[in-house]
Amino acid sequence: MLALPAHDPSLLAGGTSGPRALRPLLDTVLGALAEGAAARCGPLPAGGPGRVRDRLAEAAPGPALPAHGAGVGPALHQLVRALAEGAADPADPHCAAHLHCPPLAVAVAADLAASALNPSLDSWDQAPAASELEDRISRELAALVHPTGPEPHALITTGGTESNLLGTLLAREHLAGTADRPLRVICGANAHHSVHRAAWLLGLPAPHVLPTPAGVLDPAVVREALLGLDALACVPTGPAPALVVATAGTTDSGAIDPLPALADAVAAARHGGRPVGLHVDAAYGGPLLLSPTHRHRLAGLDRADTVGLDLHKLGWQPVAAGVLTVPDAAALAPLGQRADYLNAEDDTEAGLPDLLGRSPRTTRRPDVLKIAVTLRALGRTGLAALVDRVCAAAADLATLVAAEPGLELHSRPTISTVLFRPAGATDAQVAAVRRRLLVDGRAVLGRATVRRPGGGAPALWLKATLLNPHVHHSDLAALIKLVLDQHDGSDGAPGTDVTTQRDPGDDHQ
């Protein structure tokens, strides 16, 4: 067999020669990742947006599309190293702002295979094995959520935003909303912003938003809203269809709505003659089902009509890895479409699987592969251990905060999110602490405006969302020290809190 030309940029990743073409390139990529991480030396590049922009321009000067290519090695090394140096690294124990997990190495390796094979899950002849794997994994994940459903099934989505859109779409179709009697979405003030976006994209009225002063939906208030929903209509036309959207793991605090009582409220409204469904946005909290220690927090989840969960949060997958589950596969029928070149009727009758009803997207990469590999590699016990670790780390951080006189703890964590703030600080000072840590490149903390415990006034809190299962007690203690050191009482006026820069040569503590 002829040797492959070295570093030929036109070589393909597939086929029998693909692995040989990829191997030296992977060495380049891995080396560049290591160099970039060492140069960054922390959870975030120091210097703020301007410095990141300048460093990227220095690393990859000239036009993005030059007249003549730089070659495979230089292009890969320059840009991968620059991206790594300028990345927010969720594997760093002090990168804890968002529901942004450090992916497992085994999942990343599987994702490489998905990219090399490049199946497209819009027709069986583009993805024979991938489509079968997706069907198998989807059914098994759905059965985890809906163990008593008649035929649990799921769609692989890009995440909670798409899952919330699809849950709302399916409710609109099944509950027979019309132009003069449209589906009304009822959600709490704690709901994810994508619930509002879903209603807008589907041409529905804006959601009826209920107050959540305690951080979660009140089932009694939901019952009242369902009873009074028709009063919102200009012209009475009978009971309007409704979709109650609950949250299992809010973005701000990780709070979980009281799912059993909300399911009861929906069931009572149905008994009273209203067409109503229940969708649960469990993008954050859904994987608690894997943990015998924590799954009780999701009691009642199985009673939902649709459930969204993300495995690129508490599942340690590279983005994207979302799932929308239903208790009965028949509920997915409204998504079916016919395109002769993809799912001709005679092909379907002859036994070729019809994939167009599996997503509103046409071209779809096989995100299921990394999920399937992770499930097989770790099993239930392995994944449960990771879930338990991050929940335990959050409890540890909350204990450290509560013991520190200079800090105020909002509440004990429900999942793995901890809200806290410097004691006695104003909201402006809290915001300034966060920005100084960001620009200095020492810590990435989130922010959340949440009422003080006991129904107090809203206040700005620092948010630590712990998704790194390898974080240590010492990492958490160091994070607290960083916050205390940065709280100097200044209000963070423009120009005063974005100039501190860590020396890249300093050791990251």
Side-chain angles (χ1 to χ4, degrees):
M1 183 181 294
L2 293 176
L4 295 171
H7 303 301
D8 181 350
S10 68
L11 294 177
L12 303 180
T16 57
S17 61
R20 286 195 296 141
L22 282 171
R23 194 175 302 278
L25 304 184
L26 295 181
D27 288 340
T28 299
V29 167
L30 295 175
L33 286 172
E35 290 176 22
R40 184 184 64 247
C41 193
L44 198 76
R51 180 57 178 158
V52 171
R53 188 181 306 114
D54 291 345
R55 287 290 297 129
L56 190 60
E58 293 167 8
L65 180 62
H68 301 286
V72 170
L76 269 177
H77 184 268
Q78 289 171 2
L79 288 172
V80 172
R81 186 190 187 285
L83 196 67
E85 182 181 345
D89 183 4
D92 188 288
H94 291 166
C95 188
H98 302 286
L99 291 166
H100 176 205
C101 77
L104 295 170
V106 66
V108 172
D111 217 22
L112 168 65
S115 293
L117 294 168
N118 204 32
S120 181
L121 284 155
D122 48 317
S123 66
W124 184 86
D125 58 359
Q126 298 178 83
S131 59
E132 181 64 27
L133 183 64
E134 183 180 78
D135 183 72
R136 177 180 173 185
I137 298 301
S138 297
R139 291 181 186 275
E140 191 161 338
L141 289 173
L144 185 69
V145 180
H146 310 280
T148 62
E151 189 187 352
H153 212 332
L155 305 176
I156 303 299
T157 71
T158 54
T161 295
E162 184 182 356
S163 295
N164 287 340
L165 174 64
L166 287 171
T168 308
L169 171 62
L170 291 173
R172 185 192 70 180
E173 297 303 298
H174 286 299
L175 299 174
T178 61
D180 60 347
R181 201 175 62 115
L183 177 76
R184 294 305 307 265
V185 176
I186 298 174
C187 66
N190 63 345
H192 193 261
H193 67 85
S194 62
V195 175
H196 297 257
R197 181 174 291 181
W200 170 66
L201 286 170
L202 295 172
L204 300 174
H208 181 35
V209 180
L210 305 178
T212 53
V216 294
L217 275 169
D218 183 340
V221 176
V222 172
R223 286 177 183 267
E224 292 175 7
L226 286 168
L227 287 171
L229 193 59
D230 299 321
L232 299 175
C234 297
V235 180
T237 56
L243 176 67
V244 175
V245 178
T247 307
T250 61
T251 303
D252 277 348
S253 67
I256 297 175
D257 287 334
L259 302 180
L262 291 172
D264 288 344
V266 169
R270 282 178 182 157
H271 185 71
R274 183 179 301 284
V276 58
L278 175 62
H279 171 72
V280 179
D281 176 2
Y284 180 12
L288 293 178
L289 285 171
L290 297 165
S291 167
T293 304
H294 297 286
R295 70 164 65 107
H296 69 278
R297 298 182 185 276
L298 297 180
L301 185 67
D302 59 316
R303 297 173 63 186
D305 298 290
T306 49
V307 175
L309 59 92
D310 284 0
L311 293 172
H312 54 241
K313 294 181 172 70
L314 276 182
W316 297 278
Q317 299 297 293
V319 174
V323 181
L324 178 80
T325 69
V326 293
D328 190 348
L332 301 174
L335 297 176
Q337 294 287 327
R338 182 70 65 185
D340 193 63
Y341 75 105
L342 294 174
N343 62 346
E345 189 170 355
D346 57 319
D347 279 347
T348 304
E349 291 174 353
L352 294 181
D354 178 358
L355 305 184
L356 275 190
R358 303 288 303 149
S359 174
R361 293 169 285 142
T362 304
T363 301
R364 284 193 301 126
R365 74 189 308 272
D367 287 318
V368 71
L369 178 60
K370 61 198 176 195
I371 298 172
V373 169
T374 300
L375 298 180
R376 180 166 288 268
L378 278 77
R380 284 179 181 246
T381 55
L383 287 165
L386 297 184
V387 170
D388 292 348
R389 281 189 210 168
V390 296
C391 291
D396 187 17
L397 177 60
T399 298
L400 288 171
V401 170
E404 171 53 60
L407 296 175
E408 177 185 355
L409 176 69
H410 181 272
S411 56
R412 301 293 301 180
T414 302
I415 307 177
S416 66
T417 297
V418 180
L419 300 183
F420 65 103
R421 53 185 279 138
T426 65
D427 284 357
Q429 289 168 346
V430 173
V433 167
R434 175 179 175 271
R435 285 192 294 269
R436 282 195 289 266
L437 288 170
L438 283 175
V439 174
D440 194 42
R442 289 195 179 275
V444 188
L445 290 171
R447 54 185 287 163
T449 299
V450 177
R451 288 183 179 274
R452 291 181 178 276
L460 183 64
W461 303 80
L462 297 173
K463 178 175 67 172
T465 304
L466 301 181
L467 295 180
N468 185 338
H470 301 296
V471 69
H472 298 294
H473 177 87
S474 58
D475 298 319
L476 303 176
L479 180 62
I480 286 177
K481 184 177 186 304
L482 284 171
V483 170
L484 292 171
D485 289 347
Q486 286 293 343
H487 178 47
D488 60 5
S490 68
D491 62 3
T496 65
D497 66 327
V498 294
T499 56
T500 303
Q501 295 187 20
R502 169 175 52 84
D503 183 345
D506 289 348
D507 290 333
H508 174 56
Q509 301 298 320

